[in-house]
Amino acid sequence: MPKYTVIAPVGDHLDALYVGVRDFPTENVILLAPTERLQEAQKAKTTLATFHITCQIVEIKGHPWEGIFAGIAQVAERHHGKPLLVNTATGDRSTACAATSAAFVNGLQAISVEGTQSMPLPVLKFSY
């Protein structure tokens, strides 16, 4: 089974990150964090280190939608051909929607989390 690089926005539901990590073998996490949430991202990075999961924090500046889209596109390009997983449930309402849309546009596997259960979302690839 492949080990994933998980991409997740930092927002109101960061605990959903750990549900996804539990259900999908993870070797690396990339957190997309707005400036005002960098401290929360750093706490998550510290927690992930206890499970020997590396973590990179990417600061999102400007409009969150644009930052999430750009961040996910850049990660997808940089990690082309490697198993990527977008955890859409970790952000707030807006960034969760942006992460879902960005996963679809880039043809990436995505999950959502409801309570303690992760749910895979369909992989869609749009060509524009």
Side-chain angles (χ1 to χ4, degrees):
M1 180 173 265
K3 283 196 164 195
Y4 290 94
T5 292
V6 175
I7 309 163
V10 177
D12 297 336
H13 307 284
L14 201 51
D15 286 347
L17 175 66
Y18 307 112
V19 175
V21 167
R22 177 197 69 201
D23 292 346
F24 294 87
T26 303
E27 68 179 346
N28 186 34
V29 172
I30 299 172
L31 297 174
L32 305 176
T35 304
E36 65 274 8
R37 299 235 187 211
L38 287 174
Q39 216 170 28
E40 292 169 64
Q42 189 58 49
K43 286 180 188 176
K45 182 177 182 174
T46 301
T47 300
L48 289 166
T50 64
F51 298 107
H52 305 287
I53 297 172
T54 61
C55 180
Q56 175 187 359
I57 299 170
V58 176
E59 185 176 1
I60 299 298
K61 296 181 181 184
H63 194 276
W65 265 78
E66 292 172 3
I68 295 295
F69 261 87
I72 289 176
Q74 289 169 359
V75 172
E77 186 177 311
R78 196 172 39 229
H79 292 86
H80 183 73
K82 296 181 182 173
L84 298 174
L85 181 70
V86 179
N87 188 330
T88 66
T90 57
D92 55 33
R93 286 184 182 180
S94 180
T95 58
C97 187
T100 303
S101 298
F104 288 167
V105 167
N106 288 284
L108 300 177
Q109 175 67 54
I111 62 167
S112 187
V113 173
E114 190 68 38
T116 61
Q117 299 296 314
S118 61
M119 300 170 287
L121 301 176
V123 177
L124 304 175
K125 179 66 177 168
F126 298 111
S127 73
Y128 293 100

